[in-house]
Amino acid sequence: MTAESNPRWVRQPVSSDRPLLVHVNTTSTGGGVAELLHRLIPAQRDDGTAVGWAVVSGNPEFFALTKTLHHLLHGKGDPAPLHGTEAGTLYRSVLRPQGHWLAGQLRQGDTVALHDPQTLGLAPALAARGIRVLWHCHIGTTDGSATKPDHVWRFLAPEFDDVDVVLATRAEFGPPGFSRRRHVVTPAIDPDSPKNRPLTTAEVDALLTGIGLVGMAGGDDSSATVDQVGPMPRNAPMVLQVSRWDPLKDMRGVLRCLPGLPQDAHLILAGPDPHEVTDDPEGAVILAEVRAAYRDLPETERRRVHLVTLSMRDPQRNALLINALQRRADVVLQKSLEEGFGLTVTEAMHKYRPVVASAVGGLALQVVDGETGLLVDPTDYAGVAAAVRRLLVDRDLSRRLGSQAAAEVARRYHISRLVADYRLVIGQPQT
Ligand code: UDP
């Protein structure tokens, strides 16, 4: 086993007499799980848990395979790559040695939380050493007719024998036949983080002027690149979608809603620089497709669209820019085709933004239609545009939904609740 194939500590647990909890995922930057762990781990430490965070390594073939698993769990994509023995051999040859390495760092009685299917292959090596394994599943589909997740459950069946508890965002997510303990645990945000802390109007303006999105073109902040005909007028109504460049986020579909928006509204599509994200091989391809669709727009529409690509190299800066975009937006859209749970939606709701979200997966749980936002059918472009237009026009409705949304987030989706959920699960004896 070479050193490069070992997991990497993002936060090494401080050695302690108490049992350790170690979270494992595939990346420390980009995407909702990384975002969540950046806030959950310090909060768990403050709560008295001895906690660490490791990320697994993998080669491009491995991450292409795990992306297939990800899409299939959402009920999408082609299961063909899972047929035969090759995929299983690749998956286990990458993860089993890393499981042994991690087991060697821990003691019997410690707990490892494996996040999503990319890391589940560590389970056998950990369980063999008496380490308790939680599998935390952030993705899934609520489309009862989708059979594609079954391919993943069959593929991962050997690993589930070594899992003690499954945590999932919705009761429908996770392996159907799992007979040990399951808990429904929804993600959460940290209201005090750079991404969510209050910003003044002047701070928002300075951040967005800095990247050249408003004011003068070509601001001096190189932590974002903006594809645009020219900056957005300062007072223009702004519609925002923040997402990774992933087919299920349907950024191209958002562009197709543009003709149904008011003529003065500007649409901002913002996502991470895909060249900096190692575990998402599709990102660069999808961004190129979105850019091509943007270039094909008629000039009258193109001048109202701004594609913002954000560098993740300075995570603090990245978080502040997302915070500023969300606070400046008049409507925040999440037109995903499937979504386990959209942290971007909870972040926007926390900021009193009216949201329009697809009535799929976790989004349908996060947003109460007509109370804390509007739910739409993501395949109905005119319907999505009409919902956004309604909120841009009816400011009283926007204000009401926004303030109910913020109250709902404070009640259900703050990080302290997730810390308590984990405490409860870990505190319970193994069955
Ligand atoms: N995000 C970010 N920078 C970006 C784009 C997204 O920090 O350029 C964050 C976003 O604010 C959110 C997370 O990445 O916290 C995405 O989580 P979500 O649950 O919405 O989707 P996922 O990427 O996990 O599918």
Side-chain angles (χ1 to χ4, degrees), residues 103-127:
Q105 312 287 307
L106 303 176
R107 291 170 307 201
Q108 194 170 359
D110 289 343
T111 299
V112 172
L114 300 174
H115 292 264
D116 284 339
Q118 298 93 309
T119 60
L120 188 59
L122 303 184
L126 295 167

Side-chain angles (χ1 to χ4, degrees), residues 29-36 70 74 116 138-139 187 189 195-196 242-246 249 270-273 280 308-312 315 318-319 322-323 325-326 334 336 338-347 351 363 366:
T29 50
V33 177
E35 173 73 24
L36 187 77
H70 172 270
H74 282 122
D116 284 339
H138 300 267
I139 55 185
I189 61 158
K195 183 161 292 169
N196 295 312
V242 174
S243 289
R244 287 178 299 105
W245 307 99
D246 180 298
K249 307 290 183 180
D273 181 345
D280 191 356
V308 181
T309 319
L310 294 136
S311 170
M312 308 294 287
N318 179 275
I322 301 270
N323 189 344
L325 285 166
Q326 290 169 332
Q334 193 62 53
S336 304
E338 283 291 342
E339 190 73 72
F341 188 94
L343 274 182
T344 49
V345 168
T346 304
E347 290 159 5
K351 297 173 181 93
L363 295 177
Q366 292 170 258

